[in-house]
Amino acid sequence: MHFDIQPIGVIHSPYKQKFAIPRQPRLVPEAKAKLVFCADFNREEFVRGIEEFSHLWLLFRFHETADKGYSALVRPPRLGGNARKGVFATRATFRPNGIGMSAVKLEGVEYKNGQLALLLSGIDLLDGTPIVDIKPYLPYSDALTDAAAGFADTRPETQMTVTFSEQAEDFISKQGDYPNLRDFISNVLKQDPRPAYKKKQENPQNYGMNLYDFNIRWQVDGEHNHVLEVAQAESD
Ligand code: SAH
């Protein structure tokens, strides 16, 4: 049996590349996104009553990596990139069918200029991610506080600290349309986005990422991130 799936919407997210996206939703609450419905589902009826729920499950396609296929064994970043686990025992992106799921916060429903959208926060999705289904999060059934979670039993914590250069502070303070930009950058960096093998290499190391249309450059030295520069990305 084979079947087709039609996306119902697409995510507009500040995360413009995979690097530095947190490994699960809600680790960075400032990550706001918009789920914009596709034409066939662009009617308020489809979401009537949804605002009664504070959180939603999003099912989506790992579209950026889906055509790279899958493997039976993967190396979860939580295990330092060394130990291998069965793909179905992990949340890895390289999986058969390339389907992801995230529980995210619903901030509101927007219907503007004939376009239906959900306003979300705490997302871990790349810009342009196709959404294949939405379901309300049901705490009485979905929140299992006594569940065992193997190698991912606790929220990942790091000791990483973050400071900003004078240029970065000054630039951020002028971005009135992005009031949480400083906290957003700070919380993304506190997740320590470096790949496991990089953590073993010599410090300091410089990195770059895009959030919204900003270029962010920072330096990692031990457990410390220093944001060197925040600037407007070149438009293409
Ligand atoms: N909460 C999801 C995602 C876990 S994997 C789940 O459990 O299924 C998390 C990683 O997915 C992030 O670090 C990010 O780099 C990656 N990711 C997010 N959106 C993606 C997309 N559209 N295509 C490929 N990878 C994506």
Side-chain angles (χ1 to χ4, degrees):
M1 193 178 17
H2 223 95
F3 49 88
D4 293 323
I5 289 184
Q6 176 190 6
I8 58 152
V10 66
I11 286 285
H12 293 206
S13 155
Y15 296 121
K16 306 298 178 190
Q17 73 280 298
K18 275 190 54 174
F19 177 60
I21 300 181
R23 302 220 166 86
Q24 284 301 339
R26 300 185 324 287
L27 293 172
V28 177
E30 296 81 9
K32 294 197 184 311
K34 212 182 239 198
L35 192 169
V36 176
F37 285 84
C38 297
D40 284 355
F41 309 97
N42 188 29
R43 294 210 319 268
E44 280 171 299
E45 286 98 314
F46 279 105
V47 297
R48 189 174 295 164
I50 205 167
E51 64 285 344
E52 292 163 24
F53 295 89
S54 63
H55 292 79
L56 303 173
W57 282 111
L58 301 183
L59 300 177
F60 59 92
R61 173 92 165 152
F62 286 117
H63 73 303
E64 184 98 338
T65 47
D67 60 359
K68 299 207 175 88
Y70 61 91
S71 18
L73 288 170
V74 298
R75 297 169 195 270
R78 277 302 278 274
L79 297 173
N82 301 319
R84 307 213 292 170
K85 296 279 179 188
V87 66
F88 296 133
T90 76
R91 293 295 192 93
T93 59
F94 299 98
R95 52 200 314 119
N97 297 320
I99 299 286
M101 56 186 272
S102 295
V104 301
K105 185 156 196 269
L106 175 64
E107 301 281 355
V109 180
E110 182 184 272
Y111 195 70
K112 222 160 91 180
N113 305 324
Q115 179 60 62
L116 180 65
L118 300 181
L119 308 178
L120 308 168
S121 68
I123 59 124
D124 59 345
L125 305 182
L126 186 63
D127 192 36
T129 298
I131 302 296
V132 301
D133 204 357
I134 302 166
K135 304 189 191 208
Y137 178 85
L138 301 183
Y140 84 84
S141 171
D142 294 342
L144 309 169
T145 48
D146 58 348
F151 66 85
D153 208 26
T154 54
R155 180 190 161 105
E157 297 291 352
T158 73
Q159 303 302 316
M160 301 297 277
T161 52
V162 183
T163 54
F164 292 79
S165 71
E166 212 172 299
Q167 184 281 336
E169 293 282 12
D170 185 55
F171 183 91
I172 290 168
S173 69
K174 292 181 179 138
Q175 308 308 316
D177 290 345
Y178 302 89
N180 293 323
L181 186 59
R182 193 179 189 283
D183 287 344
F184 185 25
I185 295 171
S186 183
N187 284 332
V188 166
L189 298 187
K190 278 185 193 158
Q191 301 299 312
D192 195 2
R194 291 175 296 167
Y197 75 94
K198 283 276 191 186
K199 294 178 193 173
K200 294 175 205 125
Q201 291 180 356
E202 231 174 84
N203 287 311
Q205 296 158 0
N206 284 10
Y207 292 90
M209 67 174 170
N210 287 93
L211 292 177
Y212 299 107
D213 53 355
F214 304 120
N215 274 329
I216 294 140
R217 286 198 312 110
W218 75 98
Q219 185 169 73
V220 187
D221 197 351
E223 307 254 87
H224 184 65
N225 294 292
H226 184 59
V227 180
L228 300 164
E229 188 188 37
V230 183
Q232 201 71 41
E234 306 268 316
S235 55
D236 37 36

